[in-house]
Amino acid sequence: MGGLLFEGQITQEGLREYMIPEYLFYNDYDHEDENTWVDISGFVDKEVNAFSKYISQYGPGWEHYNANPSEAELKPLKDFARSRIQVKDGKSVEGFRYYKGLPDAIGK
């Protein structure tokens, strides 16, 4: 792998190259690629609420954007977000693809 993106960091600041040994890739749609799961049971409500803040990215927000939607308008979005949360062994989880080594073809 090459050097840092900004070579001045090496020549002027004395920083050294660093090879990242491990990766966690997040994939919102292809769950077959996941091989590591993190328990998010204590954060489900925060995740659902955070998802609902992206109203301009989903559903009716594309056509009729409202900067201050009511709870009634957010409910379908929150229900959708909650329905997409994976459950393993009775716990809410978020899946990642763990990979160790050079990211050749993203570990595939």
Side-chain angles (χ1 to χ4, degrees):
M1 304 247 339
L4 295 172
L5 181 60
F6 302 105
E7 293 178 7
Q9 291 179 312
I10 295 173
T11 60
Q12 296 173 13
E13 297 177 28
L15 298 181
R16 301 194 58 169
E17 292 181 358
Y18 178 76
M19 182 69 64
I20 299 170
E22 300 174 282
Y23 300 84
L24 276 179
F25 296 104
Y26 177 74
N27 189 336
D28 193 25
Y29 56 90
D30 184 9
H31 298 296
E32 292 178 19
D33 225 13
E34 296 168 349
N35 59 11
T36 301
W37 292 267
V38 175
D39 181 357
I40 62 165
S41 298
F43 302 94
V44 170
D45 289 336
K46 283 186 176 188
E47 181 157 328
V48 168
N49 285 328
F51 185 88
S52 73
K53 302 302 181 199
Y54 291 95
I55 194 165
S56 66
Q57 303 297 311
Y58 305 99
W62 282 354
E63 297 172 5
H64 306 290
Y65 179 71
N66 176 0
N68 297 305
S70 67
E71 273 302 313
E73 292 170 310
L74 290 176
K75 186 178 182 330
L77 199 56
K78 288 182 177 184
D79 290 345
F80 174 72
R82 195 172 296 279
S83 75
R84 294 185 41 122
I85 293 175
Q86 298 179 79
V87 176
K88 288 193 179 291
D89 300 325
K91 295 179 182 178
S92 297
V93 297
E94 194 154 294
F96 297 87
R97 175 163 177 67
Y98 170 80
Y99 182 72
K100 186 173 185 173
L102 292 175
D104 52 335
I106 311 179
K108 293 184 180 183

